[in-house]
């Protein structure tokens, strides 16, 4: 199987910013006391934006405060799908063959993650994790995400250690490959 590097930094990051004031209220069970900002490092309208907005709505309902999505990305372009880079065709693109069907075995996946700032107190992390897990388990939200081509991870694949493994793989395999070709992510 041929492994091609993917732009981990460009496809993978969503950053959840909790604000410094939240840390001061770490022991407060009523966190958050004000809206939370979810920074998406991509322009509006793409898959990462759709995923972020879906989670923002679901988590905001569970946390009792709005989650405000802020897009901080460069300009995007319109793309035409030429192959699905997974082992099965997507129901959303039934006429687009997989790369494997074209004779190219690829291990190329995109993923998204939500991060909180380093040092965020554990009670706040626990509350955010629970809201995120509850949102991901909601059947209506799952259907909404599948409609835009996003399959939400479940079980071990949805745990922080799975994201850590993806990041480690990207740093180990992808970053050196990009540097060797003198390719850089904006």
């Amino acid at each position: 199987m041929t492994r091609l590097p993917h732009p981990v930094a460009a496809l993978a990051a969503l950053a959840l910013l909790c604000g410094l004031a939240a840390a001061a209220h770490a022991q407060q069970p009523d966190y958050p006391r004000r809206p939370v900002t979810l920074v998406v490092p991509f322009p509006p309208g793409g898959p990462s934006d759709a995923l972020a907005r879906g989670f923002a709505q679901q988590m905001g309902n569970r946390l009792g405060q709005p989650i405000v999505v802020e897009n901080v990305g460069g300009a995007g372009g319109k793309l035409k799908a030429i192959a699905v880079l997974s082992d099965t065709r997507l129901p959303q693109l039934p006429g687009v063959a997989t790369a494997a069907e074209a004779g190219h075995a690829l291990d190329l996946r995109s993923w998204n993650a939500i991060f909180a700032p380093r040092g965020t107190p554990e009670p706040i992390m626990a509350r955010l994790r629970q809201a995120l897990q509850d949102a991901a388990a909601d059947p209506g939200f799952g259907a909404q995400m599948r409609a835009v081509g996003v399959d939400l991870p479940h079980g071990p694949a949805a745990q922080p250690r799975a994201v850590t493994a993806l990041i480690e793989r990207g740093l180990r395999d992808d970053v050196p490959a990009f540097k060797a070709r003198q390719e850089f992510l904006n």
Side-chain angles (χ1 to χ4, degrees), residues 126-145:
R127 184 144 163 77
L128 291 171
R129 268 194 305 271
Q130 189 62 53
L132 186 64
Q133 290 169 355
D134 291 348
D138 183 273
F141 180 57
Q144 177 188 355
M145 290 296 98

Side-chain angles (χ1 to χ4, degrees), residues 1 24 30 36 38-39 56-57 71 79 83 92 94 98 105 109 112 132 144 152 174 176:
M1 177 177 281
D30 58 348
V36 175
L38 177 62
V39 176
Q57 179 181 3
N71 295 88
L79 302 175
Q92 300 88 348
T98 67
R109 299 173 216 156
N112 293 280
L132 186 64
Q144 177 188 355
L152 298 174
D174 300 338

Side-chain angles (χ1 to χ4, degrees), residues 69-143:
V69 175
E70 182 179 335
N71 295 88
V72 185
K78 294 193 178 214
L79 302 175
K80 181 178 178 183
I82 57 170
V84 174
L85 301 178
S86 68
D87 55 356
T88 58
R89 288 187 181 210
L90 293 176
Q92 300 88 348
L93 300 170
V96 179
T98 67
E101 289 176 89
H104 305 286
L106 300 173
D107 181 13
L108 184 63
R109 299 173 216 156
S110 67
W111 53 272
N112 293 280
I114 296 178
F115 298 93
R118 183 183 309 238
T120 301
E122 183 52 37
I124 291 174
M125 291 297 295
R127 184 144 163 77
L128 291 171
R129 268 194 305 271
Q130 189 62 53
L132 186 64
Q133 290 169 355
D134 291 348
D138 183 273
F141 180 57

